Amino acid sequence: VLSFIIFLCYIASLAASFMTAPLLEFLLALFVLLAYTFKLNEKFKRLHWLLKDFLRCVTAAIIYFAISIAAVSKYSDGASKAAGVFGFVATIVYAIDFYLIFNDLMTFLKQGSSDAPEEHKSE
């Protein structure tokens, strides 16, 4: 929802060239939401869904931070300033999200590494 609001703000502003990043992030978030809703993560177990979601959050936080700085510093209209402020909020939200996903990812990797020695012992 936040990405869609930022997208709308960039459309209404002078910084319309920045509208691509929020639109793509909105579509990616929608895809991930639908994938988890339709349980595609259980059907396609070879794809590392947790890692893909982590990388999406990291890149989104970096991109939102960069375009928010550019929008706030370069453009003076209200819609650009609003998009920049919402972009900073989105940066914080994505940073919290990738921190939480990172903790889940480390738990998953520790479980995987602890299972591997037991398999070698049984052979």
Side-chain angles (χ1 to χ4, degrees), residues 7-115:
F7 170 70
L8 292 177
C9 287
Y10 278 128
I11 286 176
S13 72
L14 296 174
S17 59
F18 295 138
M19 73 178 181
T20 306
L23 177 63
L24 288 176
E25 191 54 44
F26 171 71
L27 293 174
L28 284 173
L30 189 63
F31 171 74
V32 169
L33 177 68
L34 290 175
Y36 282 116
T37 301
F38 293 124
K39 300 188 189 279
L40 292 178
N41 58 333
E42 294 175 3
K43 293 178 183 175
F44 300 106
K45 291 189 180 211
R46 295 200 55 133
L47 296 175
H48 299 286
W49 290 92
L50 198 57
L51 182 61
K52 288 182 183 196
D53 200 22
F54 173 75
L55 292 175
R56 182 187 62 84
C57 289
V58 169
T59 56
I62 292 169
I63 289 170
Y64 273 128
F65 185 68
I67 66 173
S68 296
I69 288 175
V72 169
S73 65
K74 188 175 180 182
Y75 299 98
S76 61
D77 62 320
S80 295
K81 300 286 184 189
V85 170
F86 281 126
F88 287 127
V89 171
T91 300
I92 293 168
V93 169
Y94 279 113
I96 291 170
D97 193 25
F98 80 70
Y99 174 74
L100 296 174
I101 293 172
F102 179 76
N103 287 337
D104 291 342
L105 191 60
M106 286 297 110
T107 303
F108 174 74
L109 291 175
K110 286 178 183 177
Q111 288 174 351
S113 64
S114 66
D115 291 341

